[in-house]
Structures are given as structure tokens and as C-alpha cells.
Amino acid sequence: MSTISNQQPKNNSDVIDLGKLFGLLIDGRWIIVAVTFLFATVGIAFALLSTPIFKADALIQVEQKSGGVSSLLGDGLGDMFAQESSATTEIELIKSRMVLGQTVDKLNLTTIATPSYFPFIGKGLARLMGNQAYIDVGRLELPERWFYQQDQSLVLVQTDSVNQTFDLLDSEERVLLQGKVGELAQSEGYKLFVTELNGQLGQEYSISQIARIDAINRLQGSLAISERGRQTGILQLSLEGEHKPTIERILNDISQNYFLQNVERQSAEAEKSLDFLKSHLPDIKDSLTIAEDTLNQFRQENESVDLGLEAQSTLRVTVELEKQLNELTFKESEVSQRYTKDHPAYRSLLEKRQTLLNERERLNKQIQRLPKTQREVLRMTRDVEVNQQIYVQLLNKVQELNIMKAGTVGNVRIVDNAQSYTHAVKPKKPLIVVLATLLGGMLSVAFVLAKAAFHKGVESPDEIEAIGLPVYASVPKSDLQIRMSQDAKRKKKSGAILAEENPADLSVEALRGLRTSLHFAMMEAKNNVLMISGPAPNIGKSFVSSNFAAVAAKTGQKVLLVDADMRKGYLQKEFNLDWDNGLSELLSGKQSTEKAIKKTQIENLDIITRGQIPPNPSELLMHPRFKEFVEWASDNYDLVILDTPPVLAVTDPSIAGALAGTTLMVARFGQNTVKEIEVAKGRFEQSGIEVKGVIFNAVEKTASSSMGYGYYNYAYSSDRD
């Protein structure tokens, strides 16, 4: 038998019983339903009370630069020097302090003003009731001393909802200034301009001021920018907030600031080039005048010398070279503002310039071979034509840049102004309710399963019989007995015997089955003394003892019930008797056996109560008087029942069990573990007491347990056929 008991749990431990798991969920259905309902209710409340968060977005197009000074460079170098700003660059530019700082300053985002509500639920309730307040502060200036105070909180109280007047208080509720919406209020260094105030009389608002850099960082964190599509140049700006007009106003101001800085950047580029050209015009004009005067004077002195064909050809080539060198000078001035000399574009320009210089040097050597007079005329004519071309070219560039500056539009276009969505984007109320409900269901199911996993109470007679103890009876849990016990505690009155109150109760029927089983089991016992004990307290030993005694007495047997628990015995309450003059007095020699025995309201049933609580219950049970009493009772009664305390708590059952012919233990359904029962059995065996079997008490019919009552409710009926 012991071999089987050791192997069976091991074999079952690796098997997942889906039926039992499903049964556990059915047994814990009310916990699951209650917890799930609670979480669903909390989710609904959270969804309803949470402040709606709205979203606004705007679209900006960043075009490739097709204008600007680089378009005036010519010779294909304009494309080389032109830049196309990537989306990432533009996004970082929009999020820069240069752009966002203007919005923070214009809209006074350094001032934080919010209505004051009851914590957690006040704001949501005000919104649901239509009493939500709103404040917009356009300007707030505080004296220098305010920033050195420990408590820097200000409170604005609305004093009149019709005229929209208010008081500004400090943390000590002192009035700092009084004002009206739409008017600048100032007093002793405090300046406050409230543009909008919407609330009831007495509504309070919390006002504070943060640093400008902190306000910019907050705006950077809440502003979302992304490119629509790949390399489309379309940027979407989005911002979330509680107040639709506010987030629209912030987004529109950011878009406008970014647009204006782009236009100013393009205009500044043209302005810088224009200043450069205008600064060189007077010098070029003077050089042209000097060159013309020098040439005319030389012709007059030499009587108008004409140039030959070779000299004229050389002159044309030389002038063209000077023109190209002059254009490269303009380009170098532009490129030097963007790149260093190590940049490929700059190096390409320098290489081309060097090539032109080498060619000019070659032509100069060729000119040196001409006659002196023609050489001088050629040189002077070249200077005149070169300076004339430079001057005309500069005039053209100046006119072009003037036109460009006047028509600068930038390469940024606001496609869509900011507009808020109709519905709130946060919180997602249906999702919150669903997730809260699912979370409640999962937690409740986990709790039920975890509770079952850690709960090792016996729920089947098979578990007890696996350790070698037969189960003589399975006593169902009686609802009537629970109600009678609760009434007795509540009304502080004596209890009642279930076998008397409701003889047809299933628990009483189970005890009748125990009576039949014990009738044959006790035939081989040394006497008719039955001891009932158990491993732990509060398992129903006294209930089983008293009701079994009543059931046995109704068969005509003369039964004596002895409350051998001299520490906490309470059988006297069940029979509405006094506890004194009981077993403790009998064993101490203060009372005779005949006087210790008390009659009960049940025929053939006598009882000996515990008596006064002695200081040494175990020693009294070891006294020879107890053995003499047991022998006397065995001779004078058909059945003697000893109700003893738990064996794992005290040694009293081991002492009394040595005198009893039959010993039974009571185990409670779902409370006592197999280990407890096994240890209790071992404790008795150490004292030489054989435990006949177990009474399985308070059995419940659960879906997770394969153990049923084993009884049908075949109750008595008052109807007669």
C-alpha cells in the first residue's frame, strides 16, 4: 500500500488535467465575474473621466531651389553650387530654437495656467457636467524677488463670472493684484494680461512660469514632424493638446515662422551679393574712364593707329579671357561664402581660373612680338573693352538681383494651415474598456488558478486512501448547520444538534452510514470506546462527535459522549448545558462519575462536559482515574465516544487513544493536506494506536473535484398517496 501511495502522486504530477482546470474556473466563476466587472467598471470610469486629447496638423512643402544667386552664375556651375535641403535638415530647422522660440515668445508659452480641480476625478466630472473651466494668459511679468521664493505658485480666483474680474493671490492667499479680462493688470512689479477666462464664480486657476528654454524643450517634445512619402518634400506637422484653438494657433505660428525665416534667408542671400556688386561698380567705372582717356590720348599723339588682322584677333581672344576671368571672380566670391578651398566645387573653380590665367599669359607673350605702336594700342584697346564689358556685366547683375530681391518667395510653401480633428485621438475609450476587461479577466483567472495551485487541501477520498487510511464516511457540508452556527454566534445563544433539527439532512444521512460501517468494524475492537480526533483544529470533530452520538442513540443504543478536550471543548453549548462538574472535576477527584454524567434532550444520550479548564489536562488523562472511568463507561453504555483535541497540537489524543478500542480521524475537505493526515497517523502509530480510518467532513460538490456527495437528496415528504 505504501508503494502505491508514493508512486501515484508522482505519476499524476506530470499530467495536466484540463477537466480539473475547467472545473476550477467554474468553481471560481463568481470571483472571475466580480473582478472582471470591477476592472470593466474602472476602465469605463477612466475612459469617461479622462481628458480628451485632440490633434491638429499642417502641411508644408519644401521645394528644390531653382532661383537665388546660384542661378545667375551660369556655365553649369550654378547646378554645382545649388543645394537641395533634405527633409531631415528641414525638420531639425523647424524644431530649432530660432523658429520655436518665436512661437514661445509670441504666444507666451512660458506661462502655465490651468484650472484647479479635485484630484483625479474633478476635471472629468466638470467636463461631463459641462462646467469645465478655461484660461488663457497673454502676458505675465513677475518681480525679480519672486524667482527667489521657495514656493513660486500663484492662484487666480475668478471673482465675477459676468464682468470677468479676478484676483491674483500668492501661496499665502495675499492679494497681489486685481484685474479684468482683456485689460492689463499691474501692481508692485506684477503684470498680468488675461485674454480669456471661462469659469464659474470662485473658480481657482494655478499659474506658474517656467524658463524660456524649458518652454521650447516642452514644445519640441510635443511637436511631431514627418515627411509624407519618400523624398516628396511634403512635411506634416502635428501637435496634440486639450484645447483645439490653442494647438491650431501654435501650429500656424510655427509654420509661419518657418516660412518667413526661409524667405528672409533667400532675400539675405540676394542682398549680400547685391552689396558686393555695388561696392565694385565705382571702381570699375573709374577704371573704364581712365582706360578710354588713355587710349584716345595715345591715338591723338600717334595720329590714329589702326590694328592689323593679327592684332584684332588677339584682342578678341584676350577680351574673352578677361570676361571669363571676371565671371570666375564673381563666382569665387559667392562660393567662398559657402565652401572652403578644399571643397570639390571650389577646387574645380580654381583649376579653371588657373587654366584661363595660363592662356592669358601665352597671349601676352604673343602680343610682345607685335610692333611697339600696335602693341600699345592693343593693350589700351583691350583695357577699354575689358573694363566696358565688366561694367556692363555688373550693371546687368545689379538689375537682376534687384528684381530677384523684390520677388523673393523662398522655396517653402504652406500647403495646409493647421486644423484640428473632429474627434479626440486620446484616450481610445473602447480600447481602454476592452483592455481593462481583459486584464480583469486574466488576473482573476490567474488568481483562481494560483490559489488552486498553492492550495493543497484534500478534495477526494482517493488521496486519503492512497496513504493507507480507509474513508469510513464522506459527510457533506450542511448549509443548515452553517446557518445555525452563525445564528448562535450572532444571538449569543446555545447551538442545536443537526440530527435533531433536520434528521433528513445529507450530513446526518452520511453519519448514519458511518454508524453502519462502525457497527461491523467495532465488533473486533477490544471495547466499545470510540475516540474521534483529527490533525488540526476547526475541522468539525465536535460536530461529527455530537451528531454521530445522536444518530447512534436514536437506534436504541445507550450512548455516552465525553468531551475530552479540556482546553477548548464546547460540547456543552450544543446541548444547552453548563460546562462545570465535568471531566476535569471527575479526573481530579472532585466529582463522582454519576454526578458528572448529564442527561440531554435526546433519549439514550448522556454527556460529560469538559468541566473547568485545568492547568494540566495531559496529566489528568494519564491518571488512573481516567482508565477506571473508561472501563466503567464501557461496561455501562453500549457506545462511548471520546471527543479529543487535535493530535498535532497536543498529546491528549495519544493518551486517550490507548484506552479506546477504535480510533477515527476527522479530515476537512479542502483544508487538511495529505501530509497533515499522514503525520497525524504517524503520531498515533508512535503511541501504539491504530487509526481505523478517516471521516471526510464538510465535503463540497465542486466542478474541479471528481468527488461528489455520494448521496441523493431523498427527503421526507408530507404528501401521501
Side-chain angles (χ1 to χ4, degrees):
M1 180 69 71
S2 62
T3 304
I4 297 176
S5 64
N6 291 334
Q7 292 178 352
Q8 184 175 357
K10 183 177 180 180
N11 293 337
N12 292 338
S13 61
D14 297 333
V15 178
I16 298 177
D17 191 346
L18 297 179
K20 184 174 183 179
L21 291 178
F22 184 70
L24 289 172
L25 297 181
I26 295 178
D27 294 336
R29 60 188 179 276
W30 296 118
I31 296 178
I32 296 175
V33 170
V35 174
T36 303
F37 179 76
L38 176 63
F39 272 73
T41 303
V42 172
I44 293 173
F46 179 80
L48 292 177
L49 296 177
S50 296
T51 303
I53 303 299
F54 298 94
K55 181 179 180 180
D57 61 14
L59 285 184
I60 295 179
Q61 181 184 10
V62 181
E63 300 173 337
Q64 182 178 354
K65 290 184 179 180
S66 57
V69 177
S70 57
S71 63
L72 302 176
L73 296 180
D75 291 342
L77 287 177
D79 294 334
M80 181 184 298
F81 300 139
Q83 297 183 89
E84 180 183 358
S85 298
S86 65
T88 304
T89 303
E90 300 301 324
I91 290 174
E92 295 302 321
L93 185 59
I94 296 175
K95 285 190 172 185
S96 64
R97 291 194 292 269
M98 176 184 66
V99 176
L100 298 185
Q102 299 179 44
T103 301
V104 169
D105 296 337
K106 180 179 179 180
L107 302 182
N108 192 31
L109 298 184
T110 56
T111 300
I112 308 298
T114 56
S116 300
Y117 296 106
F118 187 80
F120 302 111
I121 62 174
K123 189 173 184 179
L125 291 177
R127 179 177 52 81
L128 294 176
M129 297 173 63
N131 297 328
Q132 190 172 9
Y134 175 74
I135 184 174
D136 184 21
V137 178
R139 180 183 177 187
L140 176 64
E141 294 183 11
L142 302 172
E144 188 71 22
R145 65 179 182 277
W146 184 84
F147 294 96
Y148 297 100
Q149 298 177 2
Q150 292 183 353
D151 189 356
Q152 299 181 351
S153 60
L154 297 175
V155 178
L156 186 144
V157 181
Q158 191 166 353
T159 57
D160 192 340
S161 58
V162 178
N163 297 323
Q164 292 191 314
T165 58
F166 57 83
D167 292 344
L168 184 65
L169 313 177
D170 60 8
S171 58
E172 299 178 358
E173 298 186 355
R174 292 178 299 186
V175 179
L176 301 177
L177 56 82
Q178 295 178 333
K180 184 178 181 181
V181 175
E183 298 179 0
L184 179 64
Q186 53 184 342
S187 175
E188 299 180 357
Y190 293 91
K191 294 183 181 181
L192 178 62
F193 183 81
V194 179
T195 56
E196 186 177 352
L197 189 65
N198 183 17
Q200 296 181 344
L201 179 65
Q203 175 68 49
E204 295 184 356
Y205 305 85
S206 175
I207 299 179
S208 60
Q209 195 171 61
I210 61 176
R212 183 175 183 271
I213 184 64
D214 295 334
I216 294 175
N217 291 336
R218 290 181 58 178
L219 186 56
Q220 287 175 340
S222 59
L223 179 63
I225 309 176
S226 60
E227 184 179 14
R228 277 195 173 183
R230 184 176 178 83
Q231 296 181 350
T232 59
I234 303 296
L235 302 181
Q236 181 180 18
L237 285 67
S238 59
L239 188 66
E240 295 179 356
E242 301 178 13
H243 195 240
K244 289 183 180 180
T246 300
I247 57 178
E248 289 178 0
R249 188 162 59 246
I250 292 175
L251 265 189
N252 282 328
D253 192 74
I254 293 174
S255 302
Q256 192 66 25
N257 291 338
Y258 172 63
F259 170 76
L260 291 178
Q261 70 84 26
N262 182 268
V263 174
E264 291 174 358
R265 171 65 177 168
Q266 300 289 342
S267 178
E269 185 179 359
E271 179 69 27
K272 186 175 295 185
S273 299
L274 188 60
D275 292 340
F276 171 77
L277 295 179
K278 286 183 177 180
S279 64
H280 284 72
L281 270 177
D283 296 336
I284 298 299
K285 185 176 181 181
D286 292 341
S287 298
L288 176 61
T289 303
I290 294 173
E292 289 177 344
D293 293 342
T294 303
L295 177 61
N296 292 332
Q297 184 179 358
F298 185 81
R299 285 181 177 273
Q300 291 175 1
E301 293 176 355
N302 294 276
E303 296 179 355
S304 182
V305 177
D306 294 329
L307 296 175
L309 294 177
E310 182 180 1
Q312 292 179 3
S313 175
T314 303
L315 177 63
R316 286 194 300 270
V317 175
T318 303
V319 170
E320 184 64 25
L321 281 176
E322 293 294 339
K323 178 182 177 182
Q324 294 181 18
L325 286 171
N326 185 57
E327 289 179 353
L328 286 180
T329 301
F330 295 149
K331 294 175 184 178
E332 184 178 2
S333 175
E334 175 68 21
V335 171
S336 62
Q337 299 177 15
R338 300 185 180 185
Y339 308 108
T340 64
K341 292 185 177 181
D342 295 330
H343 193 274
Y346 204 147
R347 291 170 60 185
S348 175
L349 185 146
L350 293 177
E351 290 175 358
K352 185 174 182 180
R353 180 191 181 97
Q354 186 61 41
T355 301
L356 294 177
L357 290 175
N358 293 337
E359 182 64 20
R360 186 177 67 175
E361 183 66 23
R362 187 186 65 81
L363 289 175
N364 287 335
K365 292 179 180 180
Q366 184 176 347
I367 292 173
Q368 293 298 325
R369 293 194 296 268
L370 295 175
K372 180 178 180 182
T373 303
Q374 289 189 3
R375 188 170 61 247
E376 291 296 329
V377 172
L378 177 61
R379 181 181 61 79
M380 295 178 184
T381 305
R382 181 195 61 188
D383 292 341
V384 170
E385 291 188 5
V386 168
N387 287 326
Q388 186 176 14
Q389 285 190 3
I390 293 174
Y391 183 68
V392 173
Q393 186 179 14
L394 285 179
L395 288 177
N396 291 335
K397 297 292 184 182
V398 168
Q399 294 300 323
E400 290 176 358
L401 288 174
N402 282 326
I403 295 174
M404 182 181 298
K405 179 182 176 183
T408 299
V409 294
N411 65 320
V412 170
R413 181 165 64 108
I414 299 177
V415 180
D416 290 334
N417 289 321
Q419 186 170 359
S420 299
Y421 295 177
T422 305
H423 302 287
V425 295
K426 296 178 183 177
K428 298 185 182 297
K429 297 181 179 180
L431 182 61
I432 290 176
V433 175
V434 170
L435 291 179
T437 304
L438 291 177
L439 180 61
M442 290 187 293
L443 289 179
S444 58
V445 169
F447 173 77
V448 170
L449 296 179
K451 181 181 178 182
F454 288 102
H455 178 66
K456 301 300 183 181
V458 177
E459 294 185 353
S460 172
D462 297 337
E463 300 178 52
I464 301 176
E465 293 178 349
I467 61 175
L469 285 176
V471 176
Y472 272 69
S474 295
V475 182
K477 189 175 184 179
S478 174
D479 295 332
L480 178 59
Q481 177 65 33
I482 295 174
R483 288 196 299 271
M484 290 191 303
S485 300
Q486 291 175 349
D487 291 341
K489 291 180 180 179
R490 184 171 59 252
K491 299 178 181 179
K492 296 182 179 180
K493 65 177 185 179
S494 300
I497 302 299
L498 180 63
E500 280 288 297
E501 296 292 327
N502 185 17
D505 194 274
L506 289 178
S507 299
V508 180
E509 290 292 344
L511 293 175
R512 290 192 182 100
L514 174 63
R515 179 190 63 193
T516 305
S517 302
L518 278 180
H519 174 73
F520 297 100
M522 295 182 66
M523 291 177 64
E524 301 177 357
K526 62 183 180 182
N527 56 30
N528 59 350
V529 179
L530 170 65
M531 185 185 74
I532 297 178
S533 183
N538 300 321
I539 59 175
K541 299 185 310 300
S542 299
F543 164 77
V544 172
S545 300
S546 58
N547 282 274
F548 179 70
V551 169
K554 289 188 177 183
T555 62
Q557 288 182 302
K558 192 176 181 181
V559 180
L560 176 63
L561 178 60
V562 181
D563 190 353
D565 187 357
M566 289 181 286
R567 290 175 171 84
K568 296 183 178 180
Y570 60 89
L571 286 179
Q572 71 277 357
K573 294 182 180 179
E574 303 294 331
F575 295 94
N576 197 17
L577 297 172
D578 295 330
W579 53 264
D580 56 349
N581 297 326
L583 182 62
S584 62
E585 286 82 4
L586 173 63
L587 298 182
S588 61
K590 296 179 181 179
Q591 190 67 268
S592 63
T593 304
E594 290 78 7
K595 292 184 179 180
I597 297 175
K598 299 179 177 67
K599 295 290 183 182
T600 66
Q601 68 271 26
I602 301 174
E603 188 179 358
N604 298 325
L605 178 58
D606 296 337
I607 184 173
I608 294 181
T609 58
R610 63 174 170 83
Q612 188 176 2
I613 300 176
N616 52 349
S618 300
E619 286 74 7
L620 287 179
L621 291 176
M622 296 177 66
H623 198 278
R625 292 192 188 95
F626 182 63
K627 180 179 181 182
E628 295 173 0
F629 162 71
V630 171
E631 292 175 351
W632 178 89
S634 177
D635 295 336
N636 290 274
Y637 287 89
D638 297 324
L639 178 63
V640 180
I641 301 176
L642 302 179
D643 180 21
T644 60
V647 67
L648 297 182
V650 293
T651 61
D652 298 7
S654 300
I655 300 172
L659 303 176
T662 305
T663 299
L664 293 179
M665 283 199 307
V666 176
R668 191 176 182 91
F669 177 90
Q671 180 171 328
N672 296 117
T673 64
V674 175
K675 188 65 177 177
E676 277 183 329
I677 300 172
E678 193 172 13
V679 172
K681 174 190 173 186
R683 187 72 57 86
F684 279 119
E685 290 177 347
Q686 288 176 0
S687 303
I689 301 171
E690 179 187 2
V691 180
K692 275 287 185 180
V694 174
I695 302 172
F696 200 23
N697 186 34
V699 176
E700 301 179 44
K701 188 172 180 61
T702 60
S704 61
S705 175
S706 59
M707 173 60 193
Y709 288 155
Y711 299 93
Y712 295 97
N713 190 5
Y714 195 69
Y716 299 102
S717 176
S718 60
D719 297 334
R720 297 181 180 272
D721 295 337

